[in-house]
Amino acid sequence: MSGDNIKIKICMGPGGIAAGGNDVIEAFKGQLTNQRINASFGEQCSLHQVGCRGLCAKDVLVEIIIDGKETIYENINPEKVPRIVKEHILGDNPVKEWIAGEDYDNFKKKQIKVVLSHCGEIDPEDMNAYIEAGGYKAAHKALTSMSPSEIVETVKTSNLRGRGGAGFPTGLKWELGLRIKSDVKYVICNGDEGDPGAFMDRSVMEGDPHSVIEGMIICAKATESHKGYIYVRAEYPLAVKRLQQAIDQCLQKGYLGKNIFDTGFDFDIRIFQGAGAFVCGEATALMRSIEGKRGMPTPKLWRSAEKGLWEKPTVLNNVETFANIPKIILNGGDWFRNLGTERSGGTKVFSLTGNIKNSGLIEVPLGISLREIIYDIGGGIEGGRSLKAVQTGGPSGGCIPAALLDIEVDYESLAKVGSIMGSGGMVVLDETNCMVNTAKFFLEFTQAESCGKCTPCRIGTKRMLEILERITNGNGKEGDIELLEDLGSHIRATSLCGLGMTAPNPVLSTIRYFRDEYEAHIKDRKCPALVCRNLITYSIIEEECTGCGACKRACPVDSIRGVRKKPHKIDPELCVKCGTCFDVCKFKAILKA
Amino acid sequence: MVTLKIDGRKVTVRKLSTILDAARKLDIPIPTLCHHPELSPYGGCRLCLVEIEGIAKPAASCTTFAKEGMIVNTSSPYLEKLRRTNLELILSDHPNECMLCERSGDCKLQELAYFYGLRENRFKGEIRVYSKKDNNPFVTRDMEKCILCGQCVRICDEIQGVGAIDFAYRGLNTRVSPPFEKDLNCEFCGQCVAVCPTGALTGKMWAHKGRQNFKEVETICPYCGCGCNITLYVRRNEIIRISSNEETINEGWLCAKGRFGYGFVNSPERLTKPLIRIAPKENSIFNVKQTNPPLPPFTKVGRGGINNAALFKEVTWEEAFQYVSKRLKEIKENYGPDAIGGLASARCTNEENYLFQKFMRVVIGTNNVDHCARY
Ligand SMILES: Cc1cc2nc3c(=O)[nH]c(=O)nc-3n(C[C@H](O)[C@H](O)[C@H](O)COP(=O)(O)O)c2cc1C
Ligand code: SF4
Ligand code: SF4
Ligand code: SF4
Ligand code: FES
């Protein structure tokens, strides 16, 4: 064993846990004990579980720091642990072939970590680690030396816009929250995160819970509120646990509760667990849910800052929005503002998924181009295929075609091309994706999640889905595209809440950029990407067929005929388009078209 | 007060009035299906959309405050198209069986479909199918006709304070339901039936009794001293159903008795002449053994009703009064005035009840006098 200061950080973000992070931790513990390093455990050699490091595609990521020298390993599993301990920790000779390569460097290069600066670096369950990393300095500063309006001014200067989707300027929201006087006011943190595939907020709540709480304390001071709620979906048990732990630690230390930092300021936070309806992420539905009512949006006769939770003035922000606050208070509004574009300051976290090499959690300055995200950070498309579109904004967002890859990523530019920033989902689609099917996938989600309150969303989205279903099933009718456009813009214009207003986006944006694909489905009864089952035909290319009979034996419905060593034939009447023959043929003699 | 302009006409309304309130003040028609003036704002049907100058998207007039200087437009080809499409969507998930529907002719949805001339529907698709659970005696719930306006849910919670029903499920599956989708088991005030704009909720006793050609009779509910206004829908001297006008002292709200308890009016068991008992009480129909489970209300028991000649004798009012005064006198003489007690009725007027206690205290000479509202 070389130095006396060894740190092992194991990624235990959502990706890390899914890839077996717990087993890796256990393996390290076992190895360290076996190798009798336990004597120095904790003092000289410490093991840390850390939040998401971003590059989930290469999880489990393990960082080993010896005397300040950092080495990152990727794709680590328990079997690899003994060798790392033996060669690297005991022998001071890092295992070269497992060290994170170029991809990891590229992945990190264009990112700027503000919200995620602690994620993957500190142990989220250790309050001291947060404090050592500069935590609660901002809250201390805000409570001891800033007036509410000074805080509001700083946030206004920062140009921070709500990260929950709509992008409302946070400073303005707080200003209104401060201006309205009331004996009771609430601060709510929206951690519902219902978009399928999104895990930005989850990573922050699990990986750096104290930053969210610190942001809320500052907001409470700025808006003169003394009660806070964090709304987290019950499907995020680890986030709930870590947040509660953090709240308890704060209460013990006097950072929450009565007389915080001896300033006479009181603030309490409670966690409310949601039952997992997407619509409960909508601000008014969320408040109704806390009130014990059905999570249904209510009309905005009043702004939440006037009448929100239990009809009291309420400031509601997203997890990521709050997590930005401490850094803004410490480094100043201008610093944050200058990170982003003219109209939106700072950085944004995205979950980069789909057909991309480096899938994971990224944080980039607003205004970066989509191209940089996909090719520089994301490492491009998997398997050398070509990019078709990028879907941003989750189920409420739209598809941006490859041709528009140079647009800047900010609220306005995304809206201009028919998509939205949303909460930060980014799904990369390559040529193997059918755009009609993709739109259908998102609409399946939104129509099922409609709260059912208003006509256009409850019935309209269902009808759109039915039209998409018939198109992908090969029963599309002349006029269906126009009907989708008409109904889509109708739902957008007349729905009560954001769910309905944005639900048609995936359909409308794919029609806008990929109309030919819709037409191919309807007019030619073909799915150009060969995804929609009913529109695919399998046939045997006579010249290539050796007559081996593999396909005939594999076909589950006996639809393939032929004698040995002679070209075989598929009976299209019987074929159920399962694709088994295509997979088993060794001579590429089956044509999928 | 705020002043705004709707369709070119100026109107002044109180602060916190909605655009819909203001338009109604000018008698400008705006279609609505989920709005109710006494209930909390809802904004579900999306028919009441209007255009407001300076705001890009149409706004629901029922859930938008009128503001000083606002310029509002309540009708345009675009607005009518939006309304029409929303109606079309509602009807695409509707049984459209007006021929057999109890509310036909008195249905807001039917009326709007008529005004918008909706026959074809571009959005034919899956429609909801619900199994009926209607063993309760008062309310028929044909939820496939429900348009989810939420008025029943709100009235039950906000006016009646019962909360017997709420929304369940999501998406097209959303439905109004009692807990765990059981049969309705509530006060049966029928407030929900009264506000339902469609044939989803109807009175059980209305079924197949007729939908038109009623004589409407304004009267007062005979049950209690509250004196709610009711409207009887009468045909051939039979009450077919009862409703109550919103512009009355009781604002249109009724209780289960007032709304559904009219069966006695034409009941063969109803007392129409004075009767004097000629057989002992033990043989009375009220002594019929209780069945288990108890019989539902309105089941006829006994031997063909009270007018059984074996138990009672029909007399004139004169004879009846004679009999009563004779017996009261006898009892008072033999056993003293406190052997007599008087129970009056909440159905009587205050004046009648006053006279009754006076009679008991002064004429009979006892304080044994009571009734459900107490003296
Ligand atoms: C259907 C729907 C779902 C939403 N889900 C979320 C969510 O999961 N998390 C979130 O922060 N905001 C969500 N929002 C946005 C919230 O309504 C609200 O705008 C946001 O939380 C405000 O915080 P911000 O200003 O910090 O973004 C959702 C909105 C809609 C319409
Ligand atoms: S738009 Fe959809 S989710 Fe929103 S209130 Fe209407 S039905 Fe509910
Ligand atoms: S509810 Fe109205 S529209 Fe529906 S069937 Fe009955 S009368 Fe017709
Ligand atoms: S049952 Fe009637 S009142 Fe209740 S939501 Fe349905 S349509 Fe509205
Ligand atoms: S009346 Fe306004 S939305 Fe229904």
Side-chain angles (χ1 to χ4, degrees):
Chain A
M1 204 167 88
S2 55
D4 31 42
N5 193 354
I6 303 173
K7 264 189 187 161
I8 305 169
K9 295 180 176 179
I10 296 161
C11 176
M12 287 286 281
I17 291 176
N22 271 319
D23 297 339
V24 174
I25 288 197
E26 287 311 313
F28 266 105
K29 277 190 190 155
Q31 280 300 315
L32 295 176
T33 320
N34 277 350
Q35 306 288 349
R36 307 221 179 90
I37 311 179
N38 57 329
S40 48
F41 199 79
E43 289 266 314
Q44 289 168 316
C45 176
S46 53
L47 199 59
H48 302 267
Q49 48 172 345
V50 294
C52 184
R53 315 193 71 117
L55 190 55
C56 305
K58 301 273 167 73
D59 258 319
V60 175
L61 293 163
V62 173
E63 184 178 12
I64 295 183
I65 308 170
I66 301 183
D67 288 341
K69 225 177 94 220
E70 299 170 6
T71 313
I72 296 202
Y73 289 105
E74 61 188 23
N75 293 325
I76 296 307
N77 56 33
E79 287 76 55
K80 290 183 176 169
V81 172
R83 192 170 149 202
I84 295 178
V85 172
K86 194 164 147 226
E87 294 182 15
H88 188 165
I89 298 181
L90 295 171
D92 201 12
N93 196 7
V95 189
K96 287 222 171 59
E97 62 255 51
W98 296 339
I99 293 181
E102 211 181 313
D103 273 349
Y104 192 75
D105 292 337
N106 287 339
F107 181 75
K108 288 209 314 198
K109 216 184 287 166
K110 290 212 168 161
Q111 296 197 50
I112 298 181
K113 303 242 170 167
V114 176
V115 173
L116 299 179
S117 60
H118 296 148
C119 279
E121 299 299 331
I122 63 169
D123 183 342
E125 301 195 0
D126 179 1
M127 185 175 189
N128 289 327
Y130 181 72
I131 294 175
E132 270 166 35
Y136 289 108
K137 263 196 198 143
H140 189 267
K141 178 177 169 192
L143 261 61
T144 53
S145 66
M146 290 174 89
S147 70
S149 42
E150 276 167 354
I151 303 174
V152 167
E153 276 316 308
T154 308
V155 176
K156 271 169 82 178
T157 309
S158 76
N159 243 350
L160 170 65
R161 293 172 61 174
R163 300 297 193 237
F168 190 81
T170 307
L172 288 183
K173 194 182 265 186
W174 290 19
E175 188 173 43
L176 194 63
L178 171 64
R179 200 163 67 220
I180 288 165
K181 301 289 164 212
S182 168
D183 50 343
V184 182
K185 289 186 188 180
Y186 295 101
V187 170
I188 301 180
C189 171
N190 187 346
D192 189 53
E193 194 166 58
D195 306 27
F199 53 95
M200 295 77 62
D201 294 349
R202 172 177 172 181
S203 298
V204 176
M205 290 186 284
E206 290 180 0
D208 194 14
H210 280 287
S211 70
V212 181
I213 292 169
E214 189 176 1
M216 290 178 73
I217 296 174
I218 297 168
C219 175
K221 166 77 181 179
T223 58
E224 295 175 341
S225 156
H226 306 291
K227 272 205 155 97
Y229 279 96
I230 307 179
Y231 191 96
V232 194
R233 53 179 46 229
E235 288 99 321
Y236 282 178
L238 187 61
V240 172
K241 178 185 145 206
R242 295 239 166 105
L243 284 166
Q244 191 58 55
Q245 225 166 31
I247 291 172
D248 294 344
Q249 290 164 348
C250 283
L251 283 169
Q252 224 162 35
K253 241 183 143 69
Y255 287 13
L256 276 177
K258 293 242 171 296
N259 194 20
I260 301 174
F261 303 135
D262 280 327
T263 56
F265 184 76
D266 308 337
F267 185 56
D268 271 314
I269 298 180
R270 272 203 210 171
I271 295 177
F272 189 97
Q273 294 189 44
F278 175 53
V279 73
C280 284
E282 197 275 342
T284 57
L286 184 152
M287 291 186 281
R288 297 300 87 76
S289 168
I290 295 181
E291 289 167 2
K293 301 189 181 124
R294 176 172 161 98
M296 252 181 171
T298 38
K300 292 195 178 72
L301 278 155
W302 304 97
R303 277 176 289 199
S304 304
E306 298 167 301
K307 278 189 185 185
L309 184 63
W310 285 301
E311 306 231 312
K312 295 291 178 190
T314 302
V315 170
L316 183 145
N317 278 118
N318 165 262
V319 168
E320 193 184 327
T321 314
F322 279 125
N324 271 309
I325 298 293
K327 279 100 185 176
I328 293 174
I329 297 297
L330 278 186
N331 303 320
D334 286 320
W335 162 79
F336 191 82
R337 179 192 203 99
N338 292 333
L339 289 176
T341 64
E342 202 182 314
R343 297 174 73 174
S344 356
T347 57
K348 172 84 191 90
V349 180
F350 290 98
S351 57
L352 191 59
T353 54
N355 310 116
I356 185 128
K357 263 195 209 142
N358 302 335
S359 60
L361 196 70
I362 61 165
E363 181 171 356
V364 289
L366 285 166
I368 192 174
S369 75
L370 257 187
R371 184 180 299 283
E372 287 169 280
I373 294 183
I374 306 294
Y375 287 101
D376 297 344
I377 297 173
I381 309 305
E382 256 182 326
R385 291 189 293 261
S386 66
L387 174 74
K388 189 169 190 178
V390 184
Q391 209 278 353
T392 71
S396 323
C399 289
I400 301 166
L404 295 177
L405 215 53
D406 288 310
I407 61 161
E408 288 188 348
V409 175
D410 68 10
Y411 294 90
E412 284 75 24
S413 326
L414 290 180
K416 221 189 302 166
V417 298
S419 187
I420 58 166
M421 178 86 91
S423 50
M426 205 172 260
V427 187
V428 179
L429 305 167
D430 70 16
E431 59 199 3
T432 61
N433 286 278
C434 164
M435 299 314 282
V436 187
N437 194 55
T438 302
K440 191 181 88 180
F441 168 80
F442 285 112
L443 207 64
E444 261 164 17
F445 175 79
T446 32
Q447 65 86 32
E449 289 294 330
S450 159
C451 83
K453 183 169 188 174
C454 69
T455 311
C457 173
R458 179 183 74 248
I459 311 179
T461 55
K462 173 76 182 177
R463 297 297 175 243
M464 282 184 86
L465 177 64
E466 286 169 348
I467 299 170
L468 289 171
E469 275 167 354
R470 74 176 176 242
I471 294 177
T472 52
N473 281 337
N475 301 318
K477 290 189 252 181
E478 186 86 29
D480 273 353
I481 302 178
E482 291 72 20
L483 193 57
L484 281 174
E485 286 176 318
D486 189 42
L487 184 52
S489 56
H490 172 85
I491 297 170
R492 227 185 215 176
T494 65
S495 290
L496 169 62
C497 87
L499 194 157
M501 286 183 220
T502 55
N505 284 350
V507 183
L508 294 176
S509 68
T510 47
I511 295 182
R512 177 163 161 193
Y513 298 115
F514 301 94
R515 202 183 182 96
D516 51 336
E517 264 188 58
Y518 279 80
E519 278 167 357
H521 281 74
I522 297 172
K523 296 202 178 113
D524 313 334
R525 303 275 186 245
K526 280 283 159 218
C527 173
L530 302 181
V531 171
C532 301
R533 221 187 205 208
N534 274 7
L535 300 180
I536 300 171
T537 50
Y538 290 94
S539 56
I540 293 174
I541 310 164
E542 256 179 59
E543 298 80 61
E544 306 289 333
C545 178
T546 62
C548 73
C551 57
K552 188 171 147 184
R553 284 189 296 277
C555 176
V557 291
D558 276 340
S559 72
I560 302 177
R561 297 283 126 102
V563 285
R564 265 193 87 75
K565 304 214 168 140
K566 290 262 167 63
H568 283 39
K569 234 182 157 57
I570 300 177
D571 182 346
E573 297 288 309
L574 295 177
C575 171
V576 290
K577 306 178 185 191
C578 65
T580 310
C581 55
F582 185 81
D583 295 337
V584 299
C585 178
K586 289 198 191 103
F587 307 99
K588 297 211 161 80
I590 309 249
L591 181 70
K592 181 177 172 186
Chain B
M1 299 300 266
V2 292
T3 302
L4 66 161
K5 233 183 192 174
I6 305 182
D7 294 348
R9 293 161 64 193
K10 262 197 178 162
V11 60
T12 304
V13 288
R14 267 195 295 188
K15 254 188 148 172
L16 307 188
S17 303
T18 61
I19 297 177
L20 185 66
D21 295 334
R24 297 238 153 126
K25 199 169 170 194
L26 290 173
D27 206 20
I28 293 172
I30 296 177
T32 64
L33 277 175
C34 69
H35 172 76
H36 192 292
E38 299 296 326
L39 301 177
S40 60
Y42 192 68
C45 73
R46 315 310 283 173
L47 288 181
C48 67
L49 303 166
V50 295
E51 288 162 342
I52 304 170
E53 227 177 78
I55 295 177
K57 275 180 60 167
S61 61
C62 67
T63 49
T64 310
F65 285 135
K67 293 225 173 77
E68 186 62 40
M70 237 182 197
I71 300 181
V72 178
N73 185 16
T74 70
S75 185
S76 71
Y78 178 58
L79 285 177
E80 296 305 343
K81 178 172 178 269
L82 296 180
R83 289 175 185 155
R84 202 188 144 83
T85 305
N86 273 336
L87 269 177
E88 206 177 344
L89 286 170
I90 293 174
L91 289 170
S92 76
D93 182 29
H94 197 80
N96 297 331
E97 51 169 47
C98 305
M99 292 265 197
L100 296 177
C101 183
E102 211 51 62
R103 287 292 295 276
S104 184
D106 177 31
C107 168
K108 276 187 120 180
L109 180 60
Q110 190 189 41
E111 189 69 355
L112 284 170
Y114 161 81
F115 271 121
Y116 283 85
L118 278 167
R119 181 182 283 273
E120 294 304 314
N121 201 313
R122 293 176 290 161
F123 308 119
K124 284 198 190 97
E126 184 187 324
I127 72 170
R128 297 162 295 166
V129 181
Y130 297 147
S131 52
K132 274 192 200 167
K133 276 188 193 147
D134 271 337
N135 286 323
N136 78 75
F138 299 113
V139 182
T140 302
R141 300 166 58 245
D142 194 350
M143 298 317 277
E144 287 162 18
K145 292 178 187 161
C146 168
I147 59 167
L148 292 162
C149 71
Q151 292 190 66
C152 54
V153 175
R154 279 176 287 154
I155 208 135
C156 188
D157 177 31
E158 296 169 17
I159 302 284
Q160 203 63 19
V162 171
I165 43 176
D166 205 338
F167 298 96
Y169 302 99
R170 275 173 261 173
L172 197 75
N173 258 329
T174 312
R175 62 193 69 170
V176 171
S177 162
F180 311 109
E181 290 192 85
K182 294 196 172 142
D183 191 8
L184 204 54
N185 181 12
C186 58
E187 292 186 358
F188 295 110
C189 62
Q191 236 72 284
C192 56
V193 177
V195 291
C196 182
T198 72
L201 300 177
T202 52
K204 200 155 221 182
M205 51 275 271
W206 303 353
H208 300 295
K209 287 279 172 73
R211 305 179 292 197
Q212 305 165 13
N213 301 328
F214 300 120
K215 193 162 101 194
E216 289 180 28
V217 182
E218 299 293 334
T219 182
I220 303 292
C221 175
Y223 274 100
C224 79
C226 284
C228 293
N229 291 263
I230 55 174
T231 309
L232 312 180
Y233 293 77
V234 180
R235 228 175 38 187
R236 292 198 195 87
N237 220 21
E238 188 190 348
I239 299 175
I240 305 297
R241 62 178 81 153
I242 286 180
S243 77
S244 180
N245 191 336
E246 279 164 34
E247 270 119 51
T248 54
I249 178 93
N250 49 301
E251 296 177 356
W253 312 133
L254 291 176
C255 71
K257 292 185 286 181
R259 191 181 312 278
F260 296 125
Y262 53 84
F264 72 91
V265 176
N266 295 76
S267 167
E269 293 176 4
R270 184 172 172 187
L271 300 183
T272 52
K273 301 228 171 75
L275 299 174
I276 289 178
R277 181 183 294 283
I278 51 173
K281 242 197 183 146
E282 292 73 59
N283 299 345
S284 148
I285 59 153
F286 297 111
N287 268 349
V288 171
K289 262 206 201 122
Q290 263 304 320
T291 54
N292 192 15
L295 291 167
F298 304 124
T299 312
K300 284 191 179 134
V301 292
R303 287 152 241 128
I306 291 180
N307 277 324
N308 193 319
L311 297 174
F312 297 99
K313 181 175 80 176
E314 227 178 84
V315 294
T316 64
W317 280 110
E318 192 50 41
E319 283 173 287
F321 284 138
Q322 290 297 339
Y323 181 72
V324 169
S325 85
K326 184 179 123 231
R327 289 288 294 136
L328 284 176
K329 260 188 219 149
E330 278 169 20
I331 295 166
K332 189 175 164 183
E333 263 163 38
N334 293 342
Y335 307 101
D338 281 341
I340 299 173
L343 288 174
S345 167
R347 294 193 199 181
C348 301
T349 62
N350 277 343
E351 292 77 1
E352 287 160 344
N353 276 321
Y354 175 81
L355 285 175
F356 182 74
Q357 63 84 30
K358 217 50 181 177
F359 170 79
M360 290 303 289
R361 290 191 168 117
V362 177
V363 180
I364 304 283
T366 178
N367 284 327
N368 292 341
V369 54
D370 206 353
H371 98 323
C372 57
R374 287 282 148 95
Y375 281 98

